[in-house]
Amino acid sequence: MSSRTSSWTFVLKRIGYSAVSLVGLSILIFVIARVLPGDPARLALGPRAPQSIVDALRAQLHLNDPIFVQYFYWIQGIFSGNWGISLFTQRNVILDVQEFLPATVELIMFAAIIDLVLAVPLGLVAGRFANSAVDNGVRVLSYLGIAVPSFVVAVLLQLSLGYGTNLFPVIGRLSQSATPPPTITGLYTIDSILTGNYADLADAIWHLVLPAFALALGPIAQEARIMRSAVVENLRKDYTLSEVSHGLPERTITLKYLMKPSLIPTITIYGLDISAQIANAFLIELIFNWPGFSRYGLNAMLSKDLNAIVAVVIVAGFMFAIANILVDIVVGYLDPRIRLQERSEE
Amino acid sequence: MKTRSLQRRYAIGRGITAVIIIIILVIVGAGAYFVLTPSTATTTSPTSSTPTSSTTTPPTLASGTLSVSFANVPVTDPAKGSDEASSTALVNLYDSLVFPTSAGTLQPDLATSWQVSSDGLTYTFKMRQGVTFHNGDPVTASDVVFSMNRLITVGQGYSYLFSPYIGNVTALDSSTVAIHLKKTFGPFLTALVRLYILDQKQVVANIGSGPYGSNGDYGSTWLLTHDAGSGPYSIQAANLESFMTLQAYTNYWNGTQTNQPSTVQIIGSTSSTQALFSSKQIQITDQWQPYSTVASLAQLKGAKLVTIPTVNEFYLMINTKQAPTDDIFVREAMTYAFNYTAVVNDIFTGSKPSAGPVPSALPGHDSAIPVGQQNLALAKQLMAKSKYAGQLNNYPVKYFWVTQVPAEQKMALQFASDMQQIGITVQVIGQPWLTVVADLANLTSSPNIVSIQDGASYFEAGSVLQSRYTSASDGTWEQNEWLQNTTLDNMIYSALSTLDQTARFKAYATIQQQIYNMYPTICAFDVYEVRAYYPTVVNWYAANGHPIVLLGYDFYFRDFQFYPSQLAALG
């Protein structure tokens, strides 16, 4: 079997695993959402709606049917673009996904960039100069990052850099005076680049800094520690000692031979952290009044919005699966042994 | 080969480094750009706060955006929205046939005059000429027909006010509309403030797929982010989970007012209120903040605390079908053991003890009913008469409070402490709102007591009496009393059908006395909204002692004066 075929098999296998996981997840969340207390139709229409209207809505939502029939209708709707009406926003859930998901994706994307930009160099430096003052400094920062919850970081950032010094805005995606760029992807930064609106681009990035950093701090701390440990471990390996003894420049050893193997565990955790950000973003979006998907999910749960709850979990699961597939591919690239192992198993 | 591979990897490494540096530069640059560039949001025209001296020129709208926080983003479909934020938006986006005044009366709005048939079943309205919707379409009688039919068909929001009564609605000509009722409804005109008139043509043009046959979704999806109204404001932008921006309609039939805010932002979140108000990014807080928070915000430079009466009341709803509260002596003893003064002084500061089940600010309230007062000696005497006397240990009282309102826990603990003095053990249980709603759906899962705020939808006592005490509200969060009293039902429906207002109000008074004597509810206090605002920035009629206490009408933004240039003076 050629190397290219092997790579495709590797990717397809992971997609297959993810698809099975998503189906399982959809069944689980669908059942859980429907055993929560309260009649969703009555909740949607309010206490004063005539019972006939409530009954009609129950019929429309198939709430009187057995749960597996409800699941069948739901799956049918998913593929036909009808994700059901959100009781919270009163419209098709797919419209909510289209409106709110890009805001969260943009936030997570920037958090991921900040995360990668800071975690890898911090871990590398800390590992390369282990037990030095620099390492200790990074260690303290890491402990703080891990120990302090992201919502506390968010509030502190708001108070210090938002309200205190007025350096950054504390709510929303754009300034009140700004007009959002025409929707192409729904990501303001990308859309403003595509439409050449650089004032909006700067405004959007300005609004992203605090929430993205608040979201990224925990993962930065965690990954910096993992990177540091991996670097320290690899420094003791024979091949590193051999490179040193052959007189290779320190920069070459660090950036070429030390960083790549050390990145493998870091990237694995990085992928998981990014996937988990959609859940971590719940409070961040609430604090920064960020009109995103996580906040939508929170509202959906508070108002027992069945269709929205299921959609949020499925979309989150889908994003998690995509992130994991990408991580597997990157790790496979960084560590050929993983791909070779797959090949030998065939 | 190996050298080429190494070179390629070095190139990739340099590329990644370059990308990282560019990203950092962009972020820092963006921050620097905004730090060094003056914000346009805070600059205002010097003429914006200057009253217009000429009577020939149109009034000057205040530039800048007035921002107010609410619990949620409004639902702006007039057939669906009915909460505080939604009512506020509807009042500003749409006109109704009649409009309430701060005196509790009605004034003409889209209808300039009306006639009522002698049997009280037909109301004929003459429509105002020359009124246009925001898109320029003329407002006609057929729009009223469409709006009423749509409201009743969709069956949500304020439709319950009209559904039992409306027979048919007919456009007699383009400016005359007749509404025929199936049965008489005394407060019908008063309730009409909740019929918001939509542009039929525009709604029909924006119909999507939905459950209403040929009417599809009746334009519901479109109406969540757009409006089809003729009110003093139109929707400029909407994000259904964070904000809605309204823009003044400069061709409004009643004109614009000097320094009326040109733009209003409704922020649908209470979690950032404190910080946003401190930084002047909102100018009026929502009413859901704890009193201590609002009081501290009012200490800020230029800020002021204001309490505004509402037609809402806080009830401790007593289950009359479960032991031991099925015994009237226990219920009566509880009403005398409760320390009303402590609650309004220390917990819900600013509110006032209630006098019976109808809020005092509501026309039709019976002023003969005394304000609740603690009398422990009397409470103990009453307990001695109860069939549960001496065995109360076997009947702990289950009390639910809603966890979304933390102050309710303090009231619950106060209640438990008060009841302990007459030998009643209270189990205080905090429950999320949805669990409370679910538990109140069945008699068996309903607690002995639940604390809930409720109020009137229109400006008469009948609104509260119907929603709180008829059997129709059994199993909803509006009634934990489970009265199931046919006699009372008939009295309430009979009063509502009485056309003569004096006779109707007399009937309301009798009903209130009847309810009072059954002790189904501890009427804790009349709710006063407590908010902080900046009086030099916003001249707000409700804060100046002229509130229209009906839900939403305190925020009729056309009657606000906004002076954004004063924000700078506050620092």
Side-chain angles (χ1 to χ4, degrees), chain A residues 163 176 256 291-292 295 302, chain B residues 6 156 241 265 275 434 478:
Chain A
Y163 300 114
Q176 258 183 7
K256 181 168 159 39
R295 203 175 137 197
L302 290 174
Chain B
L6 278 174
Q156 299 176 45
E241 67 172 351
Q265 188 163 60
L434 291 179
E478 288 191 289

Side-chain angles (χ1 to χ4, degrees), chain B residues 24-46:
Chain B
I24 294 172
L25 286 175
V26 168
I27 293 173
V28 172
Y33 173 84
F34 280 97
V35 170
L36 298 175
T37 309
S39 166
T40 52
T42 54
T43 56
T44 52
S45 160

Side-chain angles (χ1 to χ4, degrees), chain A residues 295-311:
Chain A
R295 203 175 137 197
Y296 172 71
L298 191 65
N299 286 325
M301 278 179 256
L302 290 174
S303 49
K304 191 176 163 47
D305 191 343
L306 296 187
N307 292 321
I309 291 171
V310 175

Side-chain angles (χ1 to χ4, degrees), chain B residues 426-547:
Chain B
V426 180
Q427 295 175 342
V428 173
I429 303 166
Q431 296 275 34
W433 173 241
L434 291 179
T435 307
V436 169
V437 173
D439 284 351
L440 263 56
N442 297 299
L443 178 58
T444 49
S445 55
S446 294
N448 291 98
I449 295 180
V450 63
S451 58
I452 289 180
Q453 181 185 156
D454 200 2
S457 299
Y458 57 88
F459 218 43
E460 264 198 27
S463 173
V464 170
L465 295 173
Q466 182 183 6
S467 61
R468 283 280 291 113
Y469 293 105
T470 59
S471 299
S473 61
D474 281 348
T476 75
W477 62 264
E478 288 191 289
Q479 190 184 154
N480 182 52
E481 286 85 351
W482 295 93
L483 290 176
Q484 299 173 324
N485 187 321
T486 318
T487 310
L488 189 66
D489 289 351
N490 292 336
M491 287 172 74
I492 293 171
Y493 289 127
S494 168
L496 288 170
S497 67
T498 305
L499 292 173
D500 179 68
Q501 194 192 57
T502 310
R504 192 165 68 243
F505 280 21
K506 198 174 169 188
Y508 289 155
T510 308
I511 295 165
Q512 287 168 70
Q513 287 287 348
Q514 171 96 350
I515 294 169
Y516 180 74
N517 291 332
M518 292 157 64
Y519 299 100
T521 311
I522 296 176
C523 302
F525 57 90
D526 287 1
V527 177
Y528 277 59
E529 290 177 17
V530 182
R531 300 178 191 259
Y533 82 115
Y534 292 107
T536 56
V537 179
V538 190
N539 187 9
W540 179 21
Y541 58 94
N544 295 335
H546 305 288

Side-chain angles (χ1 to χ4, degrees), chain A residues 1 18 61 63 107 124 173 176 185 198 204 212 218 223 244 250:
Chain A
M1 191 179 283
S18 300
L61 297 175
L63 293 174
L107 179 60
L124 194 62
R173 295 177 74 190
Q176 258 183 7
T185 63
Y198 298 109
E223 289 146 27
V244 173
E250 189 174 322

Side-chain angles (χ1 to χ4, degrees), chain B residues 51 64 76 81 92 153 197 204 211 259 273 276 278 332 344 371 389 422 432 446 492 499 503 520 523 526 542:
Chain B
T76 50
N92 286 283
T153 306
I197 311 303
V204 169
N259 291 318
T273 298
L276 289 174
S278 305
E332 189 177 358
V344 295
V371 170
I422 57 170
S446 294
I492 293 171
L499 292 173
C523 302
D526 287 1

Side-chain angles (χ1 to χ4, degrees), chain B residues 160-178:
Chain B
Y160 74 96
L161 296 175
F162 305 105
S163 298
Y165 301 103
I166 299 297
N168 60 68
V169 189
T170 319
L172 302 180
D173 58 47
S174 65
S175 61
T176 313
V177 64

Side-chain angles (χ1 to χ4, degrees), chain B residues 20 34 38 49 68 79 104 144-145 187-188 191 196 210 242 245-247 321 353 429 457 511 558-559:
Chain B
I20 290 170
F34 280 97
S49 61
V68 187
V144 179
V145 177
F188 179 64
Y196 300 104
S242 61
T245 309
L246 311 182
Q247 188 175 35
K321 298 288 183 285
I429 303 166
S457 299
I511 295 165
R558 181 176 174 273
D559 289 347

